[in-house]
Amino acid sequence: MHSNLLPGLTSAATLLGLAQGQSQPYHDWAKAYEAAEALVSPWTTEQQANISVRYGTAPGFVPFEPSDGPTGVSGGQGVSGWVGGQTIASSWNRTLLADHYGRMAVEFREKGYNMLLGPSTGPLGRSPLGSKLWEGLGSDPYLNGKLFGVSVAAIQEQNMISCGKHYLANEQETNRTSYGSDDPAMRTSSNLDDRTLHELYLWPWIDGVANGMGSVMCVMNRVNGIIGCENDHIMNGVLKNETGFKGFIVPDVTAPLDKTAGLNGGLDWNSGYSLSQLMAAVNNGSISESVVNDHALRIVATQLNLLLPPEEYASTDETTDLNVRDAGSKDFIRRAGSEAIVLLKNKNGTLPLKSPKSLGIFGKDAANLATGPTPQSDFSNFAGDTYDGHLITGGGSYSPAPYVVSPLDALTARAAEGQGFGYKYILSDNWTVTPPESTGEGFFQTSGVSVSEYASESEHCLVFINAFGKEGSDRRTLADETGDKLVNDVADYCSSTIVVMNNAGVRLVDAWIDHENVTAVLNAGALGQESGHAIADVLFGDVNPSAKLVYTIAKSEDDYNGQICACCECDYTEGLYIDYRHFDQAEIEPRFEFGFGLSYTTFSHSNLTITPTTDTTTLAAYATGNVTEGGPSDLFDQILTITASVSNTDDIAGAEIAQLYLSFPDAAKAPIRQLRGFEKVYLEPGVTKTVTFPIQRRDLSIWDEEEQGWKIVGGDYGVLLGKSSRDFTAEGSIEISTFR
């Protein structure tokens, strides 16, 4: 930190705190803005402008210290390697995500940073080939938003600023920026209608704003023809005015090109201008003093609202080698990882493994090979469809990890503990399948190691494959032929073949899923530093899997509709119909649907009850309340309470995720079904609990493009309770009448 300025800021902050009868952080935007006004108003225009310049100071103001890394402190030493966003989202556990991001935020704070560039809500998932989807929180806006909101709140509870990423419609890496060119037309333009913008891509951001999010990172790509970090409509019009966002906007790298347009369009900090360049734009009238003042107020108010006084944070210059890993972090990461593993197949109860005698271990993903423990940073080049070793994270923003526990490490530890099994391994995806001709005779005869030999000699065969995705270059396939062949080669010789996929996004399985000897499949994602232990915990039944897919796994890549666009106009002609919404609308049978996931126990649902909490026969069609954080205040009014009973019908304790979907009246022209509630409940054998789904006005609304407002369309609303987006256990309906 800039210690020479600390006394000035401490004094100013203390005086402001005394004046308000409250000390920093305020945790009250109105009081924070009042205090910010008192601090900023005596400044000259140049002083106000200076704090929107990176590392710029002003009387009584010290700049904040940001650090990137949605999976940990970027490039940091002595920090943890956390579970990837899309992976931990598969837990569907709000409490787990809050704990995860709260613990991560503590490491940032102890390193001297007070702004965490994360979590990532976008990309959402227009195309499964989008290579940064592993950072996000799933392909449904409702699920994504709920998890995004609690994660933002958890970070900021640690006296940190959460900077949500990436606003808005950053759905592919291809041509997201124009490397080596200042021509904006060389950047992809996400061209989408206003309803799609609001109901899909803006939806999770509303949850972030409603949870007090302090900062937002705008995108490098264009949105409807205008670079995201220069786009007045999406930054000022939508984010700041419509949703009532009180914080400040920062740019992603290389954005904007037109810095004046960026600052006028809503970009508050680090436009790329020096102070002299910024003041030249002010003096020639290109940027008004009121714009400069607004930027300064937003930056100062956010700090006063969320951060401790600056002397409470360590200097980053002094923490480079400081170990800030909490003793309990590794155990938490292991537990979080195991809760995020989705069990896709379990034929004849293959899992959990029951006192196995011999295991065959196959595939490069089983061990730490080549280089590591995490991928090298490379923001522009394609780095392959798979990772040459055990995958614990995707690539980008320099994801840290102090070490990696691979599956082979974890299995070795269990074998060493005397659990009664031995193993053989082939740490390659492309090994000889059948034995070569033998050499020698008698005692000296040998035939060499082969997949068929090791597989046929093993009671169970564990095949580890992965799918890699990284910042800067989109994926080129959703399945690699070499990995598919390895699974089939092992399964041809092993009657109990268990496939474990560590994947940065969707990985197709149809090349082998119906093989009679493929008896179990785990979709393990990017599990962080304790990956191997988390996988072993599920394999051996120490953890009963409870995760569900946060995207759809198709039978064929051609079944998806959103594609990566070539340079440089990308028309979102699919509109609202991405992921399961598309599969439902197009009547395409997926291999594994959104929300799917098995357990080692069984559950039943019953007693679906729909109770209005207001008069649903005379509802105003439009939300018209004063704008608060998130939008019109009445947008968050509760309209319905829906309850159901969930029972554990087996003899093993476990957790079930009850999912609630709504179907809208035909006049709404909405997707066939949309997720509007989920609740994860842990149940001992034979126990029944009640789950509750509060339904807000927002959950029943569509975006009316003509009226530019959130509207409830009157008519019959279907209510579907289920275990996934296609497996429903109870149905009901309610009639809603509206007036203008």
Side-chain angles (χ1 to χ4, degrees), residues 637-655:
D637 288 349
Q638 187 169 333
I639 306 298
L640 306 172
T641 297
I642 300 175
T643 60
S645 298
V646 179
S647 303
N648 184 335
T649 56
D650 211 328
D651 57 1
I652 302 172

Side-chain angles (χ1 to χ4, degrees), residues 55 94 105 108 130-131 137 142 152 155-156 180 182 197 248 351 425 448 451 453 520 572 613 700 711 730 736:
Y55 302 123
R94 295 174 177 87
F108 277 76
S131 62
L137 297 171
Y142 180 91
V152 165
I155 290 168
Q156 296 188 163
D182 289 334
L197 185 152
F248 61 95
L351 296 178
Y425 57 79
V451 169
E453 177 188 9
Y572 286 26
T613 55
L700 301 168
K711 175 186 180 182
I736 294 178

Side-chain angles (χ1 to χ4, degrees), residues 322-371:
L322 180 66
N323 179 12
V324 297
R325 300 205 310 267
D326 180 79
S329 292
K330 68 182 183 67
D331 294 331
F332 172 81
I333 293 169
R334 176 175 179 169
R335 176 170 63 85
S338 64
E339 191 174 338
I341 295 172
V342 184
L343 178 63
L344 295 178
K345 182 178 182 179
N346 196 22
K347 182 180 177 181
N348 299 326
T350 298
L351 296 178
L353 296 174
K354 306 169 186 70
S355 302
K357 297 298 185 289
S358 62
L359 300 177
I361 302 168
F362 301 87
K364 63 185 181 182
D365 186 62
N368 298 324
L369 304 174
T371 63

Side-chain angles (χ1 to χ4, degrees), residues 363-374 387-392 401-410 427 464 466 502 528-532:
K364 63 185 181 182
D365 186 62
N368 298 324
L369 304 174
T371 63
T374 55
Y387 181 63
D388 288 332
H390 185 56
L391 185 148
I392 67 162
Y403 62 86
V404 172
V405 177
S406 72
L408 184 60
D409 295 335
L427 304 178
F464 293 88
N466 67 47
N502 291 104
Q529 67 189 37
E530 294 288 322
S531 180

